[in-house]
């Protein structure tokens, strides 16, 4: 089943803490997570109250934590959110910074390309090893973040695009183009122009 056919988009909150079962109140800050399991190619979503998260509660087997971000629970009558907000995308990108699993690195790399396209990140340099980027509005002394180029093959690109389209469904076509462009630049490494 493709991500676009998923009847419960993972960008929408569940409204319940996965650890305690407690309802998450309107206006309450919580931690949204993406989880994976061996028998499911698509990512799934679990939400945790901040107190449960701060106590160390995390997804339990067979689920593995893939990524997380902080969000605020909206009223059920509010317009349905189809995409993560810009701050949520930045939070997810930063949380994936310590990722070592190939699937997570591929996801973060394509996420970075999409965020550069949306001007949430500014490309500082591009090399065969990866990208260095800065978040929009970063202070001058901010150290750029490094994004490892995981050496994506066609299968990894397709899988990462499928995962990303769950949180950014309207960006699917651009993701495919961005991944193709990234692959093309590997033969011509260059430094990006620095912002003025």
């Amino acid at each position: 089943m493709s991500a676009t056919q998923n009847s419960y988009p993972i960008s929408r909150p569940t409204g319940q803490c996965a650890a305690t079962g407690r309802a998450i109140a309107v206006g309450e800050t919580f931690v949204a997570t993406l989880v994976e399991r061996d028998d499911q190619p698509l990512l799934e979503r679990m939400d945790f109250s901040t107190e449960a998260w701060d106590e160390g509660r995390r997804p339990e087997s067979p689920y593995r934590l893939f990524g997380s971000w902080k969000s605020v629970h909206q009223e059920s009558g509010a317009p349905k959110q189809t995409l993560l907000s810009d701050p949520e995308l930045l939070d997810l990108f930063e949380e994936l910074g310590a990722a070592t699993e190939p699937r997570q690195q591929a996801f973060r790399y394509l996420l970075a390309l999409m965020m550069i396209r949306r001007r949430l990140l500014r490309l500082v340099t591009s090399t065969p090893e990866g990208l260095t980027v800065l978040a929009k509005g970063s202070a001058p002394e901010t150290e750029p973040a490094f994004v490892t180029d995981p050496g994506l093959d066609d299968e990894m690109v397709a899988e990462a695009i499928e995962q990303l389209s769950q949180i950014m469904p309207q960006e699917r076509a651009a993701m495919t183009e961005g991944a193709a462009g990234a692959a093309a630049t590997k033969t011509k490494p260059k430094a990006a122009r620095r912002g003025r």
Side-chain angles (χ1 to χ4, degrees):
M1 179 172 72
S2 75
T4 54
Q5 293 171 319
N6 192 345
S7 61
Y8 191 79
I10 61 175
S11 60
R12 295 183 186 158
T14 61
Q16 181 176 333
C17 176
T20 65
R22 177 178 72 76
I24 298 172
V26 171
E28 180 180 350
T29 299
F30 65 96
V31 177
T33 70
L34 299 179
V35 297
E36 60 180 346
R37 54 183 171 152
D38 291 335
D39 62 342
Q40 172 60 261
L42 297 181
L43 298 174
E44 298 176 48
R45 176 168 173 159
M46 289 184 178
D47 296 334
F48 292 80
S49 64
T50 52
E51 61 265 26
W53 191 259
D54 291 344
E55 290 170 2
R57 305 291 291 273
R58 298 294 186 271
E60 297 179 352
S61 182
Y63 298 100
R64 294 183 304 275
L65 181 64
F66 187 92
S68 65
W69 68 94
K70 287 189 178 176
S71 188
V72 176
H73 190 51
Q74 304 295 321
E75 291 186 49
S76 58
K80 290 196 181 295
Q81 182 179 343
T82 57
L83 298 174
L84 271 64
S85 68
D86 292 350
E88 289 170 341
L89 286 171
L90 284 166
D91 197 18
L92 175 59
F93 172 77
E94 290 171 6
E95 288 292 324
L96 285 166
T100 57
E101 292 294 321
R103 288 182 72 198
Q104 292 172 304
Q105 289 182 337
F107 183 96
R108 185 172 188 255
Y109 185 74
L110 290 188
L111 178 61
L113 293 178
M114 287 312 309
M115 293 172 72
I116 290 167
R117 179 178 176 273
R118 291 178 60 173
R119 294 188 167 87
L120 297 177
L121 295 177
R122 179 172 61 85
L123 180 63
V124 179
T125 61
S126 174
T127 70
E129 290 74 37
L131 315 171
T132 53
V133 296
L134 280 170
K136 178 177 70 174
S138 295
E141 66 275 11
T142 303
E143 187 74 21
F146 182 72
V147 184
T148 301
D149 181 342
L152 300 175
D153 59 25
D154 290 345
E155 184 177 345
M156 289 176 70
V157 168
E159 183 176 337
I161 288 174
E162 189 73 9
Q163 293 167 343
L164 273 168
S165 68
Q166 291 181 271
I167 61 170
M168 305 171 77
Q170 296 172 343
E171 301 281 356
R172 187 181 185 100
M175 279 185 248
T176 304
E177 293 169 10
T185 60
K186 288 181 185 177
T187 58
K188 296 182 179 180
K190 61 180 180 179
R193 290 189 305 177
R194 295 191 177 271
R196 296 175 186 173

